[in-house]
Amino acid sequence: MRALTYHGKKDVRVDTHPDPGIVNPRDAIIKITATAICGSDLHLYDGVIPGLMAGDILGHEFMGEVVETGPGSTLKKGQRVVVPFTISCGSCFFCEKQQYSACDNSNPVEKREMSETLYGQPMSGLFGYSHMTGGYPGGQAEYVRVPFSDVGPIVIENDDLEDEKVLFLSDILPTGWMAAENAAIEGGDTVAVWGAGPVGLFAAQSAKVMNAERVIVIDHHPHRLELAKGLGCETLNFREVDVREALLEMTGGIGPDAVIDAVGMEAHGFAIDNMLDVAKQTVGIGADRASALKQALLACRKGGRVSIPGVYGGMTDKFPLGALMEKGLKIGTGQTHVQRFTHLLLGLIEEGKIDTTFLISHRLPLEEAPDGYYNFRNYQNEWTKVVLKPGT
Amino acid sequence: MKAPKPRTALAIGAAAIGLLALARSSARDAPAATGDAPGRTARRERFGRYRVVGKTVTVAKPSRAELFDFWRDFTNLPAFMENLNAVRPLSEGRWEWEIVAPGETSVTVVTEIASERAGELIAWRSVEGSRIDTEGRVAFRDAPGGRGTQVELVVAYVPPAGQAGVAIAKLLQREPAQQARRDLRRFKALMETGEIPTSDNRIETEKA
Ligand SMILES: NC(=O)c1ccc[n+]([C@@H]2O[C@H](COP(=O)([O-])OP(=O)(O)OC[C@H]3O[C@@H](n4cnc5c(N)ncnc54)[C@H](O)[C@@H]3O)[C@@H](O)[C@H]2O)c1
Ligand SMILES: [Zn+2]
Ligand SMILES: [Zn+2]
């Protein structure tokens, strides 16, 4: 089969690999009809997440048709499914608590120890990501092997829902939703969202659905900010204004009740600490760039809530711990527990309460995936979300 | 108690069982050092001639009795112990363990049950004359809060001295602590999910 393959920093190509097969009883094989490039893939592309190897197949946002099932799978051939990017066994302590991205079993024993060293405990397996999270071949491919297929995939029964309406159930839609849940929104709240990428926009949309009174989205790409406006949000361009000052003024001197960092470890910006962090990342001594998060912590009102869907992989320097402690902020974060939200969100899509298609700017055949990566990274303003269609 | 005869299985067994006890609760000689922590988490690895490694996992299901029964049938162990080819029952409660050894096809160790309490504990040790002087113990106890069963695996072994076979030396240098940890986690995965997760995309077909 053909699959988007990591060769090295900023070097991905579509190569031929052996087709996947059933390995474990609960596996299924999916023929992929649509798959997307994610901001998390850009962290891999830029080489700032450890544990990726040349030859790895990327992609963790995908859907398709079931073509083969193991004896323990509950799926049937021919079913249309969207697959969560978190691989979860469904039966461990964490899965029972619906903390799927903390699954104790899905990250293979011999792969998980690096994340254990780094984080104290090992994390779950993820598709198409680092070997720290299992090194599972991803879904920017013609076929993918899906372990624990009786737990993760959600079957789309309604054929009127085209792929583009449901594909994002695999990651960014639940991620935006969980980000808003972690902001513990109350009536009358003002929520500030850093990053008008897919995650930030879906978080903003979810915050609206959860009855936030105002949502303010911060970015520097005018077109992305336009999309936020389209969702009924207010916007700030961080290159044009002093973000903290602007937020304070816009909230009558109080500060936002909740802040959401939908930027993660590759924040842009010219603050001095960020420039130092860029330098360290470039020479490979790997401090996470956390300038958006630092700004969010300072901007948040006293006793407010901090939600961090943006991905961080390691350590960061000059963290404003005092702001966090002295103001008594509450933090919610994590890789998304995707399986917890898929049914709820499918319902909201069917009711028309949530739209996902506004985000898609480009549709490409799988063979053009490397261009997709390049442009999604370098022309973020216009390239807001790339959907790849194998077999076209 | 009999006077210990050096290098007899009984003496070694008794000594090492003592070590396992030591590894389990706080050490007699160093209670202040570990508080309530297992003695083996102390910042040392050797207890006399023995090196002791071990790990605890919590297994959500099935029941403690079922976990115990699965383990008690030693022929099941190769399903999750990476360096075991096979375990075969012999007469008189002995078992023959066929261990994968680098450079050789395998090393065989015969063990006997050192002690057993149904649903709670199985301890085994190598018999006299074995090429590897080792013993192991697995304990099962209810986890607090109805979280299932805490399963603790402790393995003690004598690191090979100069006269030991090169293969055995290599085998034991292949990180027994890592081996024990990974084996136990595979056991947990197999019990909880019915399979051992892998990111391999296909079963490697053997070359004809
Ligand atoms: N928690 C999860 O499970 C999960 C899932 C998916 C993605 N993510 C993470 O969410 C983050 C965003 O993903 P995405 O797909 O939207 O990525 P993206 O790269 O498309 O969007 C990031 C946006 O942040 C903006 N930005 C950069 N620096 C900023 C700053 N200092 N202030 C304000 N905005 C800034 C960029 O201009 C860009 O528009 C990434 O870190 C990604 O890894 C997390
Ligand atoms: Zn993603
Ligand atoms: Zn699990």
Side-chain angles (χ1 to χ4, degrees), chain A residues 38 40 60-61 171:
Chain A
C38 176
S40 297
H60 58 268
E61 303 184 354
D171 175 357

Side-chain angles (χ1 to χ4, degrees), chain A residues 110-316:
Chain A
E110 57 296 347
K111 302 274 177 130
R112 68 171 75 158
E113 289 170 358
M114 187 171 163
S115 75
E116 195 173 4
T117 308
L118 208 51
Y119 308 141
Q121 263 89 32
M123 295 310 297
S124 79
L126 305 177
F127 285 105
Y129 210 61
S130 154
H131 283 260
M132 291 202 308
T133 51
Y136 282 94
Q140 287 161 2
E142 290 181 291
Y143 296 93
V144 67
R145 169 185 164 241
V146 177
F148 302 126
S149 64
D150 53 323
V151 178
I154 176 167
V155 178
I156 309 295
E157 320 255 8
N158 181 349
D159 286 336
D160 295 336
L161 284 175
E162 60 261 41
D163 283 6
E164 291 182 359
K165 288 211 165 120
V166 292
L167 170 61
F168 302 141
L169 288 170
S170 57
D171 175 357
I172 49 172
L173 191 59
T175 295
W177 186 266
M178 188 167 110
E181 259 197 17
N182 277 336
I185 294 162
E186 295 166 4
D189 271 0
T190 298
V191 179
V193 181
W194 274 254
V199 170
L201 291 169
F202 281 156
Q205 182 174 236
S206 302
K208 286 264 172 196
V209 175
M210 293 177 196
N211 292 319
E213 181 134 340
R214 294 169 75 191
V215 178
I216 304 170
V217 178
I218 302 142
D219 205 304
H220 61 149
H221 295 306
H223 174 62
R224 290 188 168 204
L225 289 173
E226 278 307 311
L227 293 178
K229 276 214 163 72
L231 296 170
C233 303
E234 297 159 69
T235 61
L236 284 184
N237 186 325
F238 68 80
R239 296 210 185 253
E240 289 167 2
V241 299
D242 178 328
V243 172
R244 188 157 64 96
E245 181 66 19
L247 286 172
L248 262 182
E249 288 303 305
M250 290 165 83
T251 54
I254 294 175
D257 301 287
V259 294
I260 299 179
D261 167 10
V263 176
M265 62 193 288
E266 295 186 87
H268 315 158
F270 299 101
I272 182 68
D273 64 324
N274 199 50
M275 296 304 277
L276 279 173
D277 289 343
V278 172
K280 286 181 211 152
Q281 266 180 354
T282 311
V283 298
I285 50 174
D288 289 352
R289 266 147 64 192
S291 59
L293 178 57
K294 292 171 189 175
Q295 198 170 57
L297 288 169
L298 289 179
C300 190
R301 78 150 160 84
K302 291 177 278 188
R305 295 142 250 143
V306 182
S307 164
I308 314 172
V311 162
Y312 294 90
M315 316 280 173
T316 191

Side-chain angles (χ1 to χ4, degrees), chain A residues 18-27 89 91-93 96 104-106 108-113 116 134-137 145 148, chain B residues 55 58 60-61 82 145 147 178 181-203:
Chain A
D19 287 352
I22 301 289
V23 177
N24 272 334
R26 293 165 65 184
D27 289 357
C89 79
S91 42
C92 70
F93 171 78
E96 291 282 349
D104 234 357
N105 290 316
S106 61
V109 165
E110 57 296 347
K111 302 274 177 130
R112 68 171 75 158
E113 289 170 358
E116 195 173 4
Y136 282 94
R145 169 185 164 241
F148 302 126
Chain B
K55 202 77 191 168
T58 301
K61 61 188 178 191
E82 197 183 26
R147 291 185 185 186
Q178 171 182 303
R181 177 172 74 230
R182 292 181 175 182
D183 286 348
L184 193 59
R185 287 174 171 176
R186 273 187 285 265
F187 172 71
K188 169 183 158 73
L190 183 62
M191 293 298 100
E192 289 184 341
T193 76
E195 55 188 57
I196 294 175
T198 170
S199 52
D200 290 350
N201 229 5
R202 44 195 296 123
I203 296 169

